[in-house]
Structure formats: structure tokens, C-alpha cells
Amino acid sequence: MEFKQLIFYFFGTVLVFAATMVITVRNPVKAALFLVLAFVSAAGLWLMLQAEFLAIALVLVYVGAVMVLFLFVVMMLDINLVRLREGFGEYLPIGGLVAVLLVAEMAIILSSDRFGPAQMPDPGALPAGHSNTRELGRQLYTVYAYPFEIAAAILLTAIVAAIALTLRRRKDTKYQNPAQQINIEPRERVRVVKMRSERKN
Amino acid sequence: MTKYFMNVWSAFPDWSQVLLLNLGMIILILVPLMLSVAYLTYAERKIIGYMQVRIGPNRVGPKGWLQPIADAVKLLLKEIIVPTKASRFLFVFAPILAFVPALAAWAVIPFTDTLWLSNIDAGLLFVLALTSMGVYGVIIAGWASNSKYAFLGSLRSAAQIVAYEIAMGFALVGVLMAAGSLNLREIVLAQSGGVHQWYIWPLFPLFLVYLISGVAETNRAPFDVAEGESEIVAGFHVEYSGMTFAIFFLAEYANMILISALCAIMFLGGWLSPLDGILPAKLLAWPVLGTLLGNGMHWLLLKISFILFCFLWFRATFPRYRYDQIMRLGWKVFIPVTLVWIGVMGAVMFLTPWGFIFH
């Protein structure tokens, strides 16, 4: 077996193991950490496909930012596992149905010709000085400029909406306004009293 | 004799030769790095000592030079205590997770024009991705300790690191706009031609944002609320002892060195001499002076040392920020500053004839 293949199977095994653990492990924090492991292994696989920009972006965005915030929330939740498992039997048929549907859909798509090797032939040897990142950037900002900008606008709207929905300020909360603190007249704060010294006889 | 060794060497299969060569280079980078981490702790105590009109450590060895070794031996021999009901595996794993990214990022740092471990195209992104993973060590340590103080410390730290990482990333976007490349070596080469070509001048606001965010990212004073001795005893590593504590300590210092190296590469011209392109070639041909004044790794080390000195200087000078002020500075000051500067850069570069300022 070639060395490259060995690495591929290593990452593949870790990825499948981590993904299984995400849905089987009891503790939600540990599940989130296994998800991180799954992302990192997937990034390793993408690196082997010479998609280094996508691989590093996956680590940067999902591992470095999204999962940190996710962990942040999950850690603070006080999850009662006993209550969580109540009614497991009730939901089992519906959940099973969804799972079967998902597997069937994936099987239909993946077994069709669209994902066969014939659809994506080997691009051949890349010219010297070929930069994956540069090519991706050129495609995004020329051919796919409009979809890219629309996606950006949608994300921005989502951010603004999320903040607008959660930002509430109670009237009785005390907070500081730095601008007001800086723009203060000295005489509003300190009163200089002049008085003559007294003499004790 | 040499021939014998060459024969032994060629007996290895190809892939193991690559592996062994890379391992050798990794050791060549890591051993000096670990030594500098050890002596950075000594330098910190000495420099802050002198700034506060004390002498600092001066008992172990001549002038206290063996102090870091003594500290390491002491920490190695101490017992590692795992709190009851703590998650044992994660508790031990957390310090490693904090330490590894700080070391792994050195894989793409170029030391001179021809000396690096790997010269990848997306080097800047690789560094950003790895430094963003350092926060896991802190979060997991806080959670696995099963202690309220540690938990509070890790929550503070996580929020702080996420906030400042955005400003840091935007500051680097300015650098890559100016250099037109994500490759660290090309970023340095784009700054060649003397001290006035360094990116610190056209990108000065971004340099300041990067440096201050770097201090905040490494949880150093004045942004060290994650440790906050007076409020939450020592924050995320309150339950750690012995070697596990030492690794957290090493991770902090290794991160400082990494941030300083990146700062030197992005804004201060990396290995380039400040007189590069100004001195005549005849002077550079002189035996010793030419090497000293010419480009070389010594300039990179000098710049890294200067920024590290600034880190220590900040710690000796500023009182600790309040938590809400830290958040305000990160979200409401730094991110808008970097965004505005990126906008200004883009407009100047593509709409006006003065774009050469940023190149």
C-alpha cells in the first residue's frame, strides 16, 4: 500500500469513528468535541485532494469559530439526561423514517452518474506555479460574483436580525457610557472651595 | 566513513527518507524554540524586575541563568492532581491541545529567503487556522476541571479570544491585500527595498490592532482576565499542577513568540535588513559587516525579540482591563478600525493613482 493511501485510510477511519461518536456519546460537550475531531479529519481528507484553501477554511471557520461558540453554549446548558431520554420510544418511528428517507436519498444521488468518475475526469498534471487559492478567488469574484454577493447580503441580514431579536435593554440596568464619561466638565464633578486658613490661639 | 553513512541512508525507502528529513528539520526548529520559551520566562522576570527596581531571579546559577531549568525540574517532579469527578482524559488532554497549535504554526514560518520547513500557498490562512485552535485548550481545561472558577475563566477567555481573533484576521486581510499573496515568503519579499517599504508604515493602524489583539489573544496582561487572580484565583488552570500546569505556561509563552514572529513577518519585513536595497553591493561584500548589515535570520530574531520585549513592557506598565472594557475595545473599536482601513485601502488602490503607497 502506498504511503498516501495509508494516510487516507487513517483520516477516513478517524472521521467515521468521530462521526459515530457524535451521535452515540451521552455527554453533549463530548459530542461537540467529537464533531470538532470529525471536521479536522475531513479537512485532512480535503488537503489530500489538493483543495488546501477549502481544507484550511474548514478548520478556520468551523473548528476555530463556529464550534467554539457552540461549545460555549453547550457547556453552559444544564442538560438533564434522564428527562431528555423520556419519550424515546414515541419518537423512534418518526426518527427512523427520516433516517431511512435520508439514506435512500443519498443512495439515489450517489449511485447516479452525476457523481461517477466519468463526470469528474482527472484534470491532469497542474502547471508549475498553479495556485488553488488564486483560482478559487478568480472564480468567486468573476463568474460567481452575483451569487457570492447575494449570499453575503443574506448572511449580513441574518446577523443583523439575530442581534435585533436578542438585543433588549432593561430600563433598570446600570451601565456606563464611555463617551459621556469622557466628555465631562471638570466643574460638574469637583467643586473647589476657597477658604482662608484659620489660626488657633 | 561518509560513504558508509550514505549507503545506510539510501537503504531506506523513499517515503521514509522524506519523513526522516522532515522530522530532523522539525527538531531543528523545535529545540531552539523550546529553549527560547524557557528563557523567555527568565527574561520576563528579569526585565519586569528591573522595571520595578528589583533584581529578579539571581540565586540559581550565575546571575540566575539556571532558574528556568530549576523551575522545569521542580514542576516535573510535582504530583499531578486530578480533581474528583473531573473528566480525566480531557483534563490531561487540554494542556496538550493548548500547546500543539503554537508549535505547529512554525511549519510555515520562513526564516530566510531559502530556509523554511514548508512553503505553502495559503500559509497565512494556515497560521490563522492553527492559532484559532488554541482556544480549545482553555475551554476544555475549564470544563474538564469540574470547578466553578476554572469554568468562569474559560468562558471569559473563549469570549475574549473569539472577539479579538476577528480583528486580528481583518488586520491580516490588509496585509494580504497589500502583498497580493497568502504565502508568507512572498509577503516578506514584497516588503524588500529598505525600511520605508515595510508594511508597518502604510498599514500602521492595522499593525497596532494586530499587536494589541495579539496581546489579548495570548491572554497576557493587561488583558489577562482569564486568569484574574484577584477575582477567579487563576481562572482556567486553577486545578492544574505539576507538568500539566507547566504545559499551559509553556503554551502561553510559545504563543507569544509565534505572534511576535508573525508580526515581524507581516509588518516589519521578516528577515530583511532595514538597509536592504539602500546599501551599495560593494559594502555587502565585506566579510563580517556585510553579513551583519545584509538580509538574514538575525534580523528576524532581532525583530521578534523587540516585540517580545514590548509584550513584557506592557505587562509591567498597564493595569488590568475591566472585562466589559475589553469586549468594547475588541468589538466596537478594533473591528470598525480594521474594516474602515481595508475599505480605504481598496478604494485608494483601485480608484486613485496613489495605489503605490500600499504596494
Side-chain angles (χ1 to χ4, degrees), chain A residues 82-128:
Chain A
V82 179
R83 243 186 47 211
L84 211 65
R85 256 177 284 157
E86 271 174 16
F88 179 74
E90 261 178 70
Y91 296 122
L92 189 64
I94 306 167
L97 188 69
V98 172
V100 167
L101 272 178
L102 273 177
V103 169
E105 279 174 359
M106 276 203 281
I108 292 168
I109 292 173
L110 291 178
S111 63
S112 70
D113 287 341
R114 296 190 74 86
F115 283 89
Q119 285 293 322
M120 290 164 211
D122 187 6
L126 295 167

Side-chain angles (χ1 to χ4, degrees), chain B residues 252-263:
Chain B
E252 182 180 325
Y253 285 84
N255 264 321
M256 271 165 70
I257 300 181
L258 178 68
I259 298 275
S260 310
L262 287 174
C263 210

